[in-house]
Amino acid sequence: MATEVLHQDAVTISGELAELRHAIHREPEIGLDLPRTQQKVLSALGGLPLEITPGRELSSVTAVLHGGKPGATVLLRGDMDALPVTERTGLPYSSQIDGAMHACGHDLHTAMLAGAARLLSARQQEIAGNVIFMFQPGEEGFAGARQMISEGVLDAAGDRPVAAFALHVTSSHLPRGVYSTRPGTMMAAADVFEVTVHGRGGHASQPHRAADPIPVACEIVTALQTMVTRKFDVFDPVVLTIGSFHAGTTDNVIPDEAKLLGSLRTFSTETRARVMDHATRLAGEIAAAHGLTATAGFPKGYPVTVNNEEEVSFAQRTVTELFGSGRCMTQPFPLTGAEDFSFVLEQVPGAFVMLGACPQGTDPATAAYNHSAEAAFDDAVLGDGAALYAELALRRLAAA
Ligand SMILES: [Zn+2]
Ligand SMILES: [Zn+2]
């Protein structure tokens, strides 16, 4: 009964959530500094019984709802940032900013999370415990979640959350309104590999008087591929691509150094650590074998997104009870993309859940994918998404 009332309330506010979403969509902002988006979130939360803390080094919003009864804490996360893409959807509320677009649907996450804050605030007295609403900038490559953690989002309610949940819309591959998740690895880790081979420049006709970094860098590139196939289990995949190789200025000068940049994708925490170790050593030792040196490392990346098995079953049960059994899928494989919600899941058990939002009348199999200039997301999922966020918190706190 309570569930039906909450769902009904979510449907009632879905028009306002669509307006909020469109306002955010029209003015997309990229990275860690999203002042206009932050302002819209703060207005949407205005008047609610929330303890609000804006970020210090980024324009995040941490909002805490203290329930009427004591209890545990649950965290709900919605990311807020856009991408450097010029929109070509032709939608009436298209981006008004050239070169910026909500092509990953984070505008929907922000609106749904604001909706959940409203739904839960209206039930403050019956809530046993606290809810942290994590409105996060900088998901797309800026590790905004890690920064919010270092600014204290996980301790915002006093004690650590017992569970954390995030929804992510997709403009294709899932039918509209269908939720999909899986226990264990949900998404890949993505890391940047940087190598500099330090040699000694000289005349191209006198290589023995120089220390040429180019053949050494070439050897490193091929040895890395051998490493991937000889050292790692095919059922725990590793993808390592050197996408950038730069050295030298002209034909008759041996350069001082060669620089490589690569992208690493892994699907388990153990393998990620092993690849990092092996690849770094390999670069250094190949250089040393030729009397040169190399500095190598993985300066930035997102960890593997690992869902907790029990929190996934709980989320799937909640979806089924709220919306019916046809609305919930178990994803057969992890996604090859990466997510910085992984930083939260490293510390709090939880679940990352995908939600199909392809526009009515389009085929999810062929619709433009997230990050495309043509990616479109249907407002129709906003009410249900807000209801799911709210129910996940309510039910998880009741079970804690
Ligand atoms: Zn994205
Ligand atoms: Zn995204």
Side-chain angles (χ1 to χ4, degrees), residues 203-221:
H203 199 290
S205 66
Q206 302 277 314
H208 60 287
R209 294 176 185 276
D212 189 350
I214 291 181
V216 173
C218 293
E219 223 174 292
I220 291 172
V221 173

Side-chain angles (χ1 to χ4, degrees), residues 171-324:
S171 57
S172 69
H173 88 263
L174 280 179
R176 190 175 62 258
V178 168
Y179 297 84
S180 172
T181 185
R182 73 193 306 275
T185 299
M186 175 71 188
M187 298 185 79
D191 290 283
V192 177
F193 188 35
E194 275 183 15
V195 182
T196 303
V197 179
H198 308 280
R200 197 175 62 253
H203 199 290
S205 66
Q206 302 277 314
H208 60 287
R209 294 176 185 276
D212 189 350
I214 291 181
V216 173
C218 293
E219 223 174 292
I220 291 172
V221 173
T222 49
L224 287 169
Q225 296 312 314
T226 307
M227 174 199 78
V228 168
T229 68
R230 302 300 91 185
K231 290 268 184 245
F232 293 93
D233 186 341
V234 289
F235 293 110
D236 187 1
V238 174
V239 178
L240 178 55
T241 295
I242 300 298
S244 163
F245 186 123
H246 286 278
T249 51
T250 187
D251 70 300
N252 61 355
V253 177
I254 292 170
D256 282 327
E257 50 182 43
K259 283 180 185 288
L260 310 177
L261 271 181
S263 177
L264 169 68
R265 306 285 157 145
T266 48
F267 295 84
S268 75
T269 304
E270 303 70 38
T271 291
R272 180 185 186 226
R274 273 187 62 225
V275 179
M276 287 178 164
D277 181 49
H278 278 283
T280 307
R281 262 196 296 131
L282 197 70
E285 287 175 13
I286 288 174
H290 293 284
L292 281 69
T293 59
T295 44
F298 291 82
K300 57 181 180 176
Y302 286 178
V304 184
T305 302
V306 183
N307 280 339
N308 176 275
E309 209 170 308
E310 273 131 54
E311 301 304 339
V312 164
S313 330
F314 160 73
Q316 290 188 313
R317 246 180 359 256
T318 305
V319 169
T320 303
E321 284 171 25
L322 272 179
F323 308 117

Side-chain angles (χ1 to χ4, degrees), residues 74-77 154 161-166 311 341 344-345 348-352:
V74 164
L75 182 145
L76 303 174
R77 181 272 213 158
L154 299 182
V162 291
F165 301 98
E311 301 304 339
F341 188 58
V344 175
L345 293 181
V348 179
F352 186 77

Side-chain angles (χ1 to χ4, degrees), residues 77 79 81 83 104-106 109 139-140 168-169 338-339 352 370-371:
R77 181 272 213 158
D79 43 9
D81 57 320
L83 284 157
C104 204
H106 298 182
H109 309 161
E139 193 288 319
E140 299 286 0
H168 202 303
V169 292
E339 238 303 324
F352 186 77
N370 288 33
H371 291 204

